[in-house]
Amino acid sequence: MSPAQFHRATGIADWRVTALGPQAVFVAPSLIEGSRLVPMVVAAAERHGVRPDVDLRPEAVVVRVPSGEDGIPAAATDFARAVSEGAASLGLSPDPARVQSVGVYVAEHSGADVRPFFLAALGYDAVGDTDAADPLRTGPVLAFNPLTGDAPGRGRTHLDVFVPADQAQARVDAAIAAGGRLVDDANAPAWWTLASPDNHGIDIASWTDTYE
């Protein structure tokens, strides 16, 4: 299913969709309190045939349903609903403002192929013809894009930060208030292109949360 179809389901208000799939963050007062949600996540995953990623931290529990080649698994809504019910029963509050995923775009000289280097250095797996991913899905996804009309031997990186649609404007405003500048908002609210004070590029992107 698409992100928009996912969001039309009932009982999943705690969840948002980023580039990696549906995700929820449940704030926990301690590691022990947060750990009590993990067996509920495992039980819901077994019951609905979903293979989620669970990240347990002292501050929160992050639960994600990785998207596949066909989009979000159909069972993701039932799974998400069950996890939210479990979190509520434990008194763990959702915090959509903390939901995000990060992608790193590596621009390479048009005559270079730098992906093998990054695959070897990071221990990543190749994805398709242009991307690379952490096999455990803990690090950012990399995409490699050739430059045209560039100087040989030079490359640059660009970050994409995927955030919930209802959090995107606040993230943009915060980045500008912190010294950034708006480069291009022609594609807003799908994404905004910003630059740091020393001109590093970053996109704040929300389209993955609403895409049909």
Side-chain angles (χ1 to χ4, degrees):
M1 72 177 73
S2 70
Q5 290 172 317
F6 175 83
H7 278 303
R8 283 195 285 268
T10 59
I12 49 90
D14 300 344
W15 295 72
R16 303 293 188 273
V17 182
T18 72
L20 299 180
Q23 181 178 347
V25 176
F26 299 99
V27 177
S30 69
L31 194 65
I32 291 176
E33 292 294 323
S35 70
R36 292 174 179 149
L37 180 60
V38 176
M40 296 180 177
V41 173
V42 173
E46 290 295 312
R47 188 161 64 250
H48 298 292
V50 173
R51 300 184 62 186
D53 292 333
V54 185
D55 188 350
L56 174 63
R57 301 295 175 113
E59 303 85 0
V61 185
V62 183
V63 185
R64 183 187 304 114
V65 181
S67 295
E69 293 182 359
D70 298 324
I72 299 168
T77 53
D78 291 333
F79 167 80
R81 189 178 302 114
V83 172
S84 289
E85 291 171 354
S89 72
L90 296 172
L92 304 182
S93 301
D95 188 356
R98 297 193 185 188
V99 172
Q100 71 174 21
S101 62
V102 177
V104 178
Y105 285 71
V106 180
E108 57 190 4
H109 180 260
S110 53
D113 180 10
V114 303
R115 189 167 72 151
F117 166 78
F118 280 91
L119 291 175
L122 297 176
Y124 272 29
D125 292 336
V127 178
D129 296 327
T130 61
D131 295 356
D134 181 346
L136 293 180
R137 299 171 300 284
T138 58
V141 174
L142 302 185
F144 298 87
N145 305 114
L147 293 168
T148 56
D150 57 317
R154 295 190 63 186
R156 65 172 184 261
T157 57
H158 177 96
L159 299 182
D160 272 11
V161 181
F162 299 93
V163 300
D166 57 3
Q167 304 293 325
Q169 185 66 62
R171 186 67 68 91
V172 170
D173 294 343
I176 293 174
R181 64 181 176 86
L182 180 65
V183 175
D184 185 3
D185 63 355
N187 297 291
W191 72 86
W192 293 255
T193 298
L194 308 177
S196 70
D198 54 350
N199 216 36
H200 292 288
I202 188 167
D203 282 359
I204 306 295
S206 64
W207 67 268
T208 53
D209 198 26
T210 57
Y211 185 66
E212 288 279 3

